[in-house]
Amino acid sequence: MSDLDAFRAEVRGWLEANCPAEMREPIREEGDVCWGGRNWVFKNDAQKAWLEACVAKGYTVPDWPKPYGGAGLTPEETKILKQEMKRINARSPLDSFGIWMLGPALLQFGTEEQKVQYLNPIARGEIRWCQGYSEPGSGSDLVSLQTFGEDKGDHWVVNGSKIWTSYADKADWIFCLVRTDKTNKYQGITFMLFDMESPGVTTKPILLISGNSPFCETFFDDVEVPKTQYIGEINRGWDVAKYLLGHEREMISGGGAGGDMVSIGGAFAKAFGKNAAGELDDPILRAEMAAFDVDVFAYRAMGERFMDMWKTGRAHPASSNMMKYVGTELNKRRHELVMSGGGSEALEWDSEETKGGARARGWLRTKANSIEGGTSEVMLNVIAKRILDLPGA
Amino acid sequence: MPLYHNDDQAMLKDSVAPFVAEQAPVSHLRKLRDSADATGFSRDLWAQFTEMGLPGMLVPEAHGGLGMGHMEAGIVLEEIGRNLTPSPFLATSVGAVAALAKAGGTQAGRWLPAIASGEAIVALAIDEGAKHRPDRIAATATRSGNGFRLDGKKSFVLHGHVADMSIVAAKTDGGITLFAVPKNAKGMTADPRRLVDSSLASHVTLDGVEVDADAVIGEVDAGGEILDALLAATRTGAAAEMVGVGQGAMDMTVTYLKERKQFGKLIGEFQGLQHRAAHLYGEMEVARATVMKAQQLLDEGSEGARLMVSVAKAKAGRAANLAVREGVQMHGGIGMTDEYDIGLYMKRDRALAEFMGDVHYHIDQVARMNGY
Ligand SMILES: Cc1cc2nc3c(=O)[nH]c(=O)nc-3n(C[C@H](O)[C@H](O)[C@H](O)COP(=O)(O)OP(=O)(O)OC[C@H]3O[C@@H](n4cnc5c(N)ncnc54)[C@H](O)[C@@H]3O)c2cc1C
Ligand SMILES: Cc1cc2nc3c(=O)[nH]c(=O)nc-3n(C[C@H](O)[C@H](O)[C@H](O)COP(=O)(O)OP(=O)(O)OC[C@H]3O[C@@H](n4cnc5c(N)ncnc54)[C@H](O)[C@@H]3O)c2cc1C
C-alpha cells in the first residue's frame, strides 16, 4: 500500500469516528453553515462537535502548516481528505473569509508573529472576519478608493465608508483597504486589520432583491488603528489586496459558483412527468437542461484540472479569473433552469413547503455571483490583458 | 493521475508538435487539395508518422505497438487538429485499434501489427445515414457457407476507398457483429466524395459480400461492446482533434487582433472584441480539460468514461465551433477569402463536428445517461 493509500484509509477511519451523522446531510438553510466567531451560537451539538474534532486535527485548514493551526498536509493529501469528505457528504466544519481570503494573504505577506497571532484563531473559528474593499464610488475601479487613514505616529485615524461588506454586522474583525497616501494611486493604500468593536465603526444592513440582508454599509468615524495592525508594507497594500482577490476568485469558482455540479434534469421529472420514451415531458427544456449538464460536467473537469495545476504552480496566475467567470455564469444559468423547472412552486416566496421560498431567493442571490469579487466584465478584461496579452486592455 | 501532462507526456508533445507543424502545416493540406489528390492524405507523411512510431501508439506491445493510452494519442490528435493535417490516424490508429484490441483473436493478431508498422489503413464503416445513429444499423450479415454474406450501405466512411481493411458493423440474428472486410472484397464498392474540408469519405455499398467466419471481430452477436469501445475511442479522439482545431483558430485570431489596425487602433484594443476573445479562451480551456478527463477515464477503464466521452464530444464541439465562427468574424473580410487559412479551420471543424455524433446527439446521450 502506498503512503497515499494508507493516508486515505486513515482519513476514512477518522471521518467514520468523528463526523456526526447530522453533519453528513446537505446544507438546507443558512443556519446550517458554521461561520464561527466570538458570538457564534451553534445550531446543535453535532455542529459543535464536528468543528472541535476538525480543529483538533487541523482539518479546518488542512494544508496550512501545523504551527498556524493546520494539519500540514501536502496537496495530494488535501485532495484525498476533500474526496473522502465529499464521499460521505460531510459538511464543511467551518466557513470563513479568514480561511478563504485573509489566511492565504497572511501566509504570503504576514510576519511570523502575525501568522501565529491571526492564523490560529482563524483555524479554530474564533474570529469571524469581513472584507472592507468596496466603497460607494469604488467598485470595479477599486484602486480609486477614498477611505483615508491619517498618520498619527503610532496609530492611524481612519475615516470613510465601505459598501457591500458581507456580514459586517456579524463579523468580529475586518481586513480593510485604507488610503494612507493621497498622492500615489496604487502605492498609497495600506492593508489594515481591526476589531469591528473599535469606537467609531458602525454598520447598516442593505436589503437585497432576494429579501435577505447579509450585506452592509460600513462607516468609519475617527477609528483608531494601531500601527502594528497592517499586513505587508505601509502603502503597498494593493499587492496584498490583489493576491487575496485571486484566492477569493478561487473560492467563489471552486465552491459556490458552479453550484453543486450535479446533473440537473432528473430533479424535475416529478414536476413535468416523463413521456413514453422516459424523457422529460418538455423537449425544449430537456434539451436546455442537458446542454447545461454538459457544461457542468465539463466545468467540473476544468475545476479538477485547475486545482491540479494551481497547487503545483502550473496554472497561469490569471486563470482564477477565467474559473470565476465561467463558474459564476454557469451557476446563474443553473438557477434560471431551476426556476423554470420548478414552475409555479418555485415562485412561492414564504411557504413552509418551499422553506421560505428557498429556490426563488437562491435564484436571485446568484445574480450577485458575477458581480461580487469582481464582475464578469472585469474578469474578461483581465483575461484579455493578462492571458491573451491583447493591447491596451 | 493529475489532469495535466506528466513529464513523459510533455516530452511526447515536445517532439510531436514541431514534427507535425514542420511536416504537415496547413500548406500541406492546401497542396493536397489543389492537386486534387485522390488518396485523401499523403503516403509520404504517413511513412514519416510511422518512423516516429505514431500509428501503433495505442497498439498493445504484444502486437508490436507502444501500448500507450488515449491521453498520449490525444497529444498527437491535437497537433493534427491545430495543423489541419489530413491523416488516417484517427480512424486507423485510434478507432480501429480500440476495437481490435478489445476484441482480440484472429483479426487482432492479423491487423494490429500491420497498423503498428504503418502498412495497414483501416476504415470504420458504421454509419448509414446522414446523421450518426449507431443504434440503427440496418446492414445485415447472414450466414452463408462457412462464413457470412454482407448486404447494406454505409456512409461517411473516411478513407473507405483506400483502406486495406474496413470494420463493418452489421446486424446478425442475435445482435450486432463487427467484420473485418479486406480491400477488394467482391461486392464491396467505395465511392469517395470530396467533403467541405477537402478530405475524402466514401459511400460504401455491400452487395452480397462473402467473408469467412474468421472475419468476425470478437464474437458473433457480441459486437455491441466492441463497437462501444470503438465509438468511445473515436469520439474522444475527434474531440481532441477539435480542441486542436479550435486552438489553432483561436491562436490565429488573437494574433490578428494584435496586428490589424482600424480607426487608428489595433482592433485588439476594442473591448467588444476583447470580451469575446476572453470568453472564447474560457470555453476552450474548459473543453481541453474535459477532453483530458475523458482520456483519463478511458485509460483507467473507468465506469464514468461513457458519460465523459459524450460530454467531451459535445463540449469540444461547442468550443471549437465558437472558435472558428469568431475566427472568421474577427478577421473581417479577409477571413472570407480562400487564400487565408481561417476558413479552412471552419471547414475542418464542420466535418469533425459531424463525425461520430454531433453536439446534439451527445447532449441527448448525456440526458439519457442521467435518467431523463
Ligand atoms: C452580494 C455581494 C457581496 C459583496 N461582498 C463584498 C464584501 O464582502 N466586501 C467588499 O469589499 N465588497 C463586496 N462586494 C462588492 C463587489 O466587489 C462590487 O460590487 C464589485 O466589485 C462591482 O463594483 P460595483 O458594484 O461598484 O459596480 P461598478 O464597478 O459600478 O460596475 C457597474 C457595471 O459596469 C461594468 N464595468 C465597470 N468597469 C468596467 C470596465 N472597465 N469594463 C467593462 N465593464 C465595466 C461592471 O462590470 C458592471 O456591470 C459585494 C457585492 C455583492 C453584490
Ligand atoms: C463577401 C464580401 C463582399 C464585399 N463586397 C464589397 C464591395 O462590393 N465593395 C466594397 O467597397 N467593399 C466590399 N466588402 C468589404 C466590406 O465592406 C469590409 O470587409 C467590411 O467593411 C469590414 O472591413 P474589413 O474586412 O477591413 O475588416 P476590419 O475592419 O479589419 O475588421 C476586423 C474585425 O474587427 C472588428 N472591428 C473593427 N473595428 C472595430 C471597432 N471599432 N469596434 C469593434 N470591432 C471592430 C470588425 O467587426 C471585424 O470583426 C466586401 C466584403 C466581403 C467579405
Side-chain angles (χ1 to χ4, degrees):
Chain A
M1 193 154 59
S2 78
D3 289 353
L4 287 180
D5 289 338
F7 177 75
R8 188 183 292 279
E10 181 199 320
V11 164
R12 214 172 261 202
W14 184 86
L15 285 173
E16 215 35 69
N18 288 282
C19 186
E22 296 97 312
M23 294 294 108
R24 302 182 194 195
E25 293 283 314
I27 300 276
R28 292 183 211 285
E29 53 189 48
E30 180 61 27
D32 291 341
V33 179
C34 179
W35 288 98
R38 287 198 287 247
N39 303 314
W40 185 252
V41 181
F42 287 100
K43 185 163 188 206
N44 50 35
D45 292 345
Q47 196 182 51
K48 184 161 186 273
W50 178 220
L51 175 61
E52 282 170 358
C54 286
V55 166
K57 195 80 181 159
Y59 281 176
T60 54
V61 285
D63 55 347
W64 290 10
K66 284 187 176 167
Y68 312 140
L73 300 189
T74 63
E76 294 79 27
E77 289 168 338
T78 307
K79 194 169 166 181
I80 288 174
L81 174 64
K82 289 203 170 132
Q83 284 168 349
E84 289 302 314
M85 286 181 60
K86 196 165 174 212
R87 199 178 56 84
I88 61 165
N89 296 317
R91 285 182 188 171
S92 163
L94 180 64
D95 283 19
S96 145
F97 294 163
I99 294 175
W100 300 324
M101 303 191 229
L102 180 59
L106 275 165
L107 284 166
Q108 180 76 10
F109 294 96
T111 62
E112 185 57 31
E113 229 181 347
Q114 287 173 329
K115 289 183 197 174
V116 173
Q117 181 187 350
Y118 293 113
L119 291 173
N120 280 293
I122 288 175
R124 293 195 295 263
E126 290 167 0
I127 305 277
R128 186 168 176 180
W129 290 86
C130 64
Q131 177 188 37
Y133 274 27
S134 305
E135 297 182 10
S138 306
S140 299
D141 184 18
L142 186 57
V143 80
S144 68
L145 62 90
Q146 297 296 322
T147 291
F148 185 65
E150 196 185 345
D151 194 334
K152 296 278 184 184
D154 67 339
H155 67 276
W156 289 286
V157 171
V158 176
N159 280 286
S161 72
K162 295 285 174 181
I163 192 167
W164 300 119
T165 333
S166 307
Y167 304 108
D169 51 346
K170 299 202 175 69
D172 305 313
W173 277 58
I174 187 166
F175 49 92
C176 195
L177 293 178
V178 179
R179 183 158 297 289
T180 39
D181 180 352
K182 288 185 180 170
T183 61
N184 195 327
K185 199 174 172 192
Y186 283 90
Q187 297 187 11
I189 293 171
T190 301
F191 191 99
M192 295 182 192
L193 316 174
F194 54 90
D195 197 318
M196 290 292 279
E197 281 180 7
S198 309
V201 179
T202 51
T203 63
K204 193 172 126 205
I206 304 170
L207 190 64
L208 295 194
I209 52 177
S210 60
N212 292 340
S213 178
F215 307 96
C216 295
E217 278 182 272
T218 309
F219 304 94
F220 308 127
D221 192 7
D222 287 337
V223 179
E224 288 189 18
V225 180
K227 279 267 183 84
T228 50
Q229 292 175 195
Y230 65 94
I231 304 296
E233 288 173 47
I234 290 175
N235 289 332
R236 297 304 295 265
W238 187 241
D239 299 340
V240 185
K242 272 195 310 192
Y243 182 83
L244 186 148
L245 277 174
H247 281 270
E248 179 176 5
R249 272 158 210 158
E250 190 189 337
M251 179 269 291
I252 294 177
S253 56
D260 48 5
M261 291 291 147
V262 294
S263 166
I264 192 167
F268 298 101
K270 198 173 74 98
F272 288 101
K274 290 190 181 181
N275 66 20
E279 294 162 359
L280 210 62
D281 206 10
D282 175 334
I284 313 280
L285 194 58
R286 174 181 183 271
E288 273 189 35
M289 285 179 171
F292 175 79
D293 272 356
V294 164
D295 282 338
V296 152
F297 294 127
Y299 183 73
R300 193 157 73 182
M302 183 66 233
E304 189 181 331
R305 175 164 153 84
F306 172 69
M307 276 307 179
D308 286 345
M309 293 182 75
W310 188 260
K311 293 226 154 101
T312 52
R314 285 174 168 81
H316 189 291
S319 54
S320 61
N321 297 76
M322 183 271 289
M323 289 298 290
K324 201 240 171 207
Y325 166 67
V326 179
T328 53
E329 294 300 329
L330 204 54
N331 201 38
K332 288 196 296 180
R333 217 170 108 206
R334 165 184 293 277
H335 283 261
E336 287 296 329
L337 289 170
V338 164
M339 288 306 285
S340 200
S344 64
E345 273 176 32
L347 302 175
E348 293 184 15
W349 189 245
D350 57 8
S351 63
E352 211 171 288
E353 300 94 302
T354 64
K355 297 204 160 58
R359 273 202 283 215
R361 291 170 197 271
W363 160 65
L364 289 162
R365 174 63 182 85
T366 59
K367 299 305 176 198
N369 293 164
S370 52
I371 300 171
E372 59 197 322
T375 67
S376 281
E377 291 74 21
V378 169
M379 296 304 113
L380 292 172
N381 287 349
V382 174
I383 298 166
K385 182 175 178 181
R386 295 194 43 211
I387 300 182
L388 300 179
D389 197 28
L390 289 174
Chain B
M1 199 167 38
L3 267 193
Y4 50 76
H5 290 142
N6 64 28
D7 291 348
D8 288 343
Q9 291 160 343
M11 261 172 60
L12 176 67
K13 190 177 172 82
D14 286 345
S15 70
V16 169
F19 163 70
V20 180
E22 281 159 28
Q23 301 306 318
V26 181
S27 55
H28 173 84
L29 164 71
R30 281 187 183 280
K31 232 163 85 194
L32 287 176
R33 183 194 70 170
D34 296 345
S35 65
D37 112 281
T39 309
F41 60 91
S42 151
R43 296 273 181 189
D44 285 347
L45 182 68
W46 193 241
Q48 284 178 293
F49 265 60
T50 305
E51 265 167 50
M52 304 262 303
L54 303 182
M57 284 179 87
L58 287 174
V59 173
E61 281 167 295
H63 289 290
L66 298 175
M68 289 180 171
H70 294 275
M71 199 78 131
E72 284 82 8
I75 290 170
V76 176
L77 284 160
E78 185 174 338
E79 298 311 317
I80 287 176
R82 194 192 305 273
N83 294 284
L84 306 180
T85 308
S87 148
F89 185 83
L90 178 55
T92 300
S93 302
V94 178
V97 168
L100 291 164
K102 169 102 186 167
T106 321
Q107 295 304 327
R110 157 112 214 265
W111 290 104
L112 287 175
I115 291 172
S117 66
E119 288 156 42
I121 304 298
V122 181
L124 311 173
I126 313 293
D127 281 328
E128 302 184 352
K131 296 302 277 188
H132 177 67
R133 291 290 181 271
D135 54 340
R136 290 194 205 148
I137 286 169
T140 55
T142 42
R143 291 205 185 257
S144 143
N146 59 358
F148 290 84
R149 181 199 147 105
L150 305 176
D151 291 281
K153 283 186 186 338
K154 295 286 174 181
S155 57
F156 202 8
V157 182
L158 301 181
H159 325 296
H161 66 302
V162 291
D164 301 283
M165 185 269 272
S166 298
I167 296 182
V168 176
K171 232 170 39 185
T172 35
D173 290 341
I176 294 290
T177 305
L178 299 188
F179 294 90
V181 182
K183 194 178 191 164
N184 301 328
K186 203 164 153 263
M188 180 165 81
T189 49
D191 172 16
R193 316 289 173 96
R194 180 89 49 200
L195 304 186
V196 66
D197 65 340
S198 79
S199 68
L200 288 164
S202 293
H203 285 210
V204 171
T205 308
L206 302 153
D207 186 7
V209 179
E210 303 275 353
V211 292
D212 291 342
D214 76 356
V216 172
I217 299 175
E219 305 281 331
V220 177
D221 294 340
E225 250 180 69
I226 303 166
L227 180 57
D228 280 348
L230 180 155
L231 292 175
T234 318
R235 288 163 176 170
T236 305
E241 191 171 336
M242 276 193 284
V243 166
V245 171
Q247 189 71 42
M250 183 173 96
D251 289 348
M252 267 190 87
T253 307
V254 170
T255 303
Y256 193 70
L257 295 180
K258 296 175 190 175
E259 290 168 352
R260 172 75 173 168
K261 274 192 164 174
Q262 288 294 282
F263 301 100
K265 282 184 175 181
L266 292 166
I267 56 173
E269 291 180 65
F270 298 120
Q271 198 176 54
L273 300 187
Q274 284 180 351
H275 280 192
R276 279 159 48 191
H279 172 76
L280 169 59
Y281 168 81
E283 291 299 291
M284 283 302 305
E285 283 300 296
V286 175
R288 176 185 304 282
T290 311
V291 171
M292 286 178 111
K293 187 72 202 173
Q295 290 163 346
Q296 184 198 66
L297 294 176
L298 276 182
D299 284 336
E300 288 170 357
S302 158
E303 282 286 304
R306 239 180 100 230
L307 174 68
M308 218 53 193
V309 167
S310 276
V311 171
K313 183 73 167 61
K315 186 71 204 176
R318 278 269 156 90
N321 184 252
L322 182 68
V324 298
R325 284 187 288 116
E326 289 289 49
V328 170
Q329 175 62 23
M330 291 193 202
H331 275 83
I334 197 157
M336 290 298 297
T337 63
D338 180 67
E339 188 190 339
Y340 216 76
D341 287 343
I342 193 73
L344 297 175
Y345 281 86
M346 181 169 270
K347 294 176 188 178
R348 174 62 54 84
D349 172 62
R350 189 83 280 285
L352 283 168
E354 217 50 58
F355 188 56
M356 294 292 166
D358 67 3
V359 171
H360 299 142
Y361 175 86
H362 287 290
I363 286 177
D364 181 66
Q365 291 296 309
V366 168
R368 284 173 202 283
M369 284 183 246
N370 282 291
Y372 64 100

